[in-house]
Amino acid sequence: MEVLRAHSLLQRTIAEIDDSSLDDWLHASLSGLCDHIEQTHHEYLKNTFPTLTRLIADVVGTHGDADAELGELQDYFVGWRSEILNVMATEERDLFPAIRTVEEARSNKERSVRTTISANCRCRFGESGLPTDVGFAAPRRDRYTPSRS
């Protein structure tokens, strides 16, 4: 019965939301979406992680002797936090600028999207256009012919 009541309250709350106040991400620009992700979600995590790290350390320091799993939880959190921060840094350094470049190229008729992306990749990843630090080999150019579609 409580599940039905919770579901009903949730449906009522959703119905009361003013849709005009919500951003329409299906029709937003890619640059706008990148900006939103960086300014909202990445900033939130960057600002929240130090507090969470300190709180977890306090809990482990106070109760860790009585419950060894708290130390494991802390280790897991620290590893996960590191992974998330690395992904966010890669997005901010490589992915989002590349997306913005593509969008800019589409609006700038003098430059082709392919030329702009190639220049961006060479600038970020070296002459091969591929990330050099993640084990990519240079592409084989002798058998590759781009399609003319």
Side-chain angles (χ1 to χ4, degrees):
M1 193 60 153
E2 286 298 315
V3 173
L4 292 176
R5 183 168 182 257
H7 185 263
S8 175
L9 288 171
L10 183 59
Q11 282 184 317
R12 222 175 330 164
T13 302
I14 290 170
E16 292 172 3
I17 293 175
D18 178 17
D19 285 342
S20 65
S21 69
L22 299 177
D23 292 319
D24 181 6
W25 295 114
L26 291 175
H27 299 96
S29 70
L30 293 176
S31 294
L33 183 57
C34 292
D35 292 343
H36 175 76
I37 291 169
E38 283 182 298
Q39 295 165 7
T40 303
H41 304 291
H42 287 196
E43 283 305 310
Y44 175 79
L45 288 173
K46 288 175 187 177
N47 292 330
T48 304
F49 279 155
T51 302
L52 288 175
T53 303
R54 189 183 75 252
L55 290 172
I56 290 172
D58 289 348
V59 169
V60 171
T62 303
H63 303 286
D65 290 338
D67 190 348
E69 288 181 343
L70 290 174
E72 293 173 21
L73 174 67
Q74 182 180 32
D75 292 343
Y76 180 83
F77 172 77
V78 168
W80 176 81
R81 179 195 64 200
S82 178
E83 287 180 38
I84 293 297
L85 289 172
N86 285 335
V87 168
M88 291 186 333
T90 301
E91 288 174 345
E92 292 172 9
R93 183 189 65 240
D94 300 325
L95 178 62
F96 293 162
I99 289 170
R100 289 178 181 109
T101 300
V102 169
E103 192 167 63
E104 178 186 326
R106 285 182 178 165
S107 65
N108 184 353
K109 300 300 181 194
E110 298 90 47
R111 294 167 60 190
S112 75
V113 172
R114 176 178 283 182
T115 301
T116 305
I117 293 171
S118 295
N120 187 285
C121 288
R122 278 193 305 278
C123 174
R124 294 180 187 291
F125 301 123
E127 196 54 41
S128 73
L130 296 170
T132 55
D133 60 339
V134 291
F136 283 106
R140 298 230 11 195
R141 298 181 199 284
D142 56 336
R143 290 186 286 174
Y144 175 72
T145 306
S147 65
R148 301 279 179 198
S149 47

